[in-house]
Amino acid sequence: MRAYRIGLLPGDGVGPEVIEEGVKALEAAASRFGFGLEWVRYPFGAEWYLERGELLPDSALEEMKGLDALYLGAIGDPRVPPGILERGILLKIRFHFDQYVNLRPIKLLPGVECPIKRGSEGPLEVYVVRENTEDLYVGLGGRRRPGSDRFLLPLERRLYRGEVEVSFKLDAPDEVAFQVGLISRRGAERVSRFAFELAKSKGKRKVTCVDKVNAMPHIYSLWRETFEEVGKDYPDIERDYAYVDAMTMWLVKSPESYQVILAPNMFGDIITDLGAVLQGGLGLAAGANLNPVGLSMFEPIHGSAPKHKGKGTINPMATILAGAMMLEFLGEADAAVAVERAVEAVLREGRVRTPDLGGSSTTSQVGDAVASALA
Ligand code: IPM
Ligand code: MN
């Protein structure tokens, strides 16, 4: 029997609640389609960190290398200062395994109400391809206090390694802080190619490149130029451009006019929260951190939502749909489609819904409903 070994990171906040329902749904799909899933659990997150001071040890990264995929609940906890867990676990995995694509579909499923008044009644299916390793997320930065005006900042990615030196000769009256963005031609090239290939495979005819080249010409001119060049290999697919500020407006005004959107890391982060709301809320928004030739990680994009922790009210559908993306990536296309159809069936029927969709069902009741629709 075909079997996959999946690293399971329930994580923080509502992560463990949703991941349990994700496992439930995927197990139902596995037994229907005749493959096996072996779950390798990892305890990393706030609790582990607070007890032992450990984030994500190198030994775990080493072990994960041999897995077929990672399935993540959420990372982040108000008891830990912002950034420690996120950078030390979530971003560390994305960067270490060079998961350079963050694929976040915006699909408005039947039976779900879109919170904005749309110009057309047609279906909404847009794929956001967010670059996932570079841009302002390279983590280069610092704060300059009197007497420390030279920084040697380490930078390590699969595409390059070394350090960036920043030195200040600045007559400033007070403290200054800086954060440097970095985009490489190779980095922009591979994610652009992914976006065009995705367009091709999904029958889309346009890719929109998002940037802010009018205000930040250095990194985003390289970004845009590279997109332009890669696009020449795809003469049947239209190349379209939008500044990120305008993009937010157009996504609200006429989301159906987009097909595939390619965005640098930070702008991609911002517009995909907007995208999530267009598809009925964060409870339905799934994402994949992809390395097409390495280890990929699948997660809901809602984060740990600490206010909702332990209440059993959170919608597990985003996590279940991320699980469907994982099955597709593993080559179980039929099972992936079946999971999506099961979610759609539960949504269309409308009887079992969590509060975010106007219902009063619990997280695990939704998981049960999806699993039995799959059986
Ligand atoms: C996301 C999150 C992360 C990001 C945070 C938690 C670091 O917002 O996955 O969208 O910025 O990428
Ligand atoms: Mn985000």
Side-chain angles (χ1 to χ4, degrees):
M1 183 167 85
R2 302 187 305 289
Y4 305 97
R5 292 180 71 225
I6 311 295
L8 202 60
L9 291 125
D12 301 323
V14 300
E17 300 161 49
V18 291
I19 211 79
E20 196 176 318
E21 304 313 314
V23 169
K24 194 186 278 175
L26 296 187
E27 284 289 359
S31 58
R32 174 165 149 200
F33 288 87
F35 58 89
L37 293 168
E38 185 196 330
W39 305 99
V40 184
R41 268 179 188 270
Y42 292 97
F44 306 113
E47 218 60 60
W48 186 265
Y49 175 69
L50 290 169
E51 271 167 31
R52 317 181 183 224
E54 182 178 68
L55 288 161
L56 176 64
D58 289 344
S59 56
L61 289 171
E62 196 51 37
E63 193 188 301
M64 287 172 183
K65 256 193 344 208
L67 300 171
D68 294 303
L70 298 173
Y71 196 27
L72 171 81
I75 292 293
D77 187 294
R79 293 169 296 171
V80 182
I84 307 254
L85 300 166
E86 293 88 338
R87 296 197 63 81
I89 302 174
L90 176 64
L91 297 182
K92 189 167 177 183
I93 293 175
R94 288 180 184 168
F95 301 158
H96 180 84
F97 292 109
D98 205 21
Q99 295 164 345
Y100 63 86
V101 174
N102 192 194
L103 179 58
R104 295 183 160 180
I106 306 172
K107 285 189 198 174
L108 183 61
L109 300 177
V112 178
E113 214 179 302
C114 185
I116 59 159
K117 189 169 163 291
R118 292 172 60 221
S120 99
E121 286 300 300
L124 179 59
E125 188 194 72
V126 182
Y127 291 90
V128 180
V129 174
R130 169 191 178 194
E131 201 288 325
N132 212 23
T133 61
E134 300 195 305
D135 196 32
L136 280 157
Y137 278 67
V138 288
L140 298 174
R143 293 169 60 158
R144 177 195 179 240
R145 294 164 300 276
S148 68
D149 56 3
R150 187 165 161 268
F151 296 82
L152 264 185
L153 306 163
L155 177 58
E156 192 180 327
R157 289 291 183 276
R158 211 58 75 82
L159 291 175
Y160 40 78
R161 70 163 58 201
E163 50 203 17
V164 173
E165 183 179 338
V166 180
S167 76
F168 281 91
K169 286 201 190 94
L170 194 63
D171 186 13
D174 217 329
E175 189 182 22
V176 298
F178 68 100
Q179 187 95 37
V180 178
L182 186 142
I183 284 177
S184 65
R185 188 175 286 277
R186 193 68 69 83
E189 202 269 339
R190 61 186 187 174
V191 76
S192 295
R193 196 162 294 284
F194 183 93
F196 282 103
E197 286 294 330
L198 181 78
K200 226 166 85 176
S201 74
K202 299 287 182 191
K204 304 289 188 188
R205 309 189 54 88
K206 182 171 81 171
V207 180
T208 303
C209 174
V210 171
D211 58 49
K212 188 69 190 174
V213 71
N214 51 345
M216 283 168 266
H218 305 295
I219 53 178
Y220 299 130
S221 65
L222 178 57
W223 173 258
R224 196 180 265 222
E225 254 172 61
T226 309
F227 167 79
E228 188 68 27
E229 272 161 35
V230 172
K232 289 185 186 142
D233 293 341
Y234 301 85
D236 298 337
I237 297 173
E238 184 194 340
R239 297 193 290 278
D240 178 41
Y241 302 87
Y243 297 139
V244 63
D245 49 348
M247 187 79 245
T248 59
M249 173 190 72
W250 287 115
L251 271 179
V252 171
K253 255 184 128 169
S254 59
E256 53 283 319
S257 61
Y258 295 95
Q259 302 184 19
V260 173
I261 296 173
L262 171 68
N265 209 339
M266 174 136 124
F267 300 150
D269 177 44
I270 297 166
I271 64 175
T272 51
D273 267 30
L274 172 53
V277 169
L278 296 178
Q279 65 181 120
L282 281 159
L284 291 160
N289 304 277
L290 301 175
N291 177 340
V293 294
L295 184 68
S296 297
M297 175 167 68
F298 301 81
E299 57 172 332
I301 82 169
H302 53 59
S304 61
K307 273 193 308 204
H308 300 278
K309 178 181 175 173
K311 296 189 181 145
T313 51
I314 207 84
N315 190 348
M317 284 175 166
T319 306
I320 295 171
L321 291 168
M325 293 178 84
M326 179 164 79
L327 294 181
E328 184 182 350
F329 189 79
L330 290 170
E332 297 293 342
D334 293 343
V337 170
V339 173
E340 265 195 58
R341 294 285 169 276
V343 169
E344 284 176 27
V346 174
L347 284 170
R348 208 175 310 106
E349 206 209 345
R351 206 173 38 83
V352 183
R353 289 183 166 214
T354 39
D356 58 313
L357 296 178
S360 58
S361 309
T362 64
T363 306
S364 71
Q365 284 169 338
V366 171
D368 288 342
V370 174
S372 64
L374 267 164

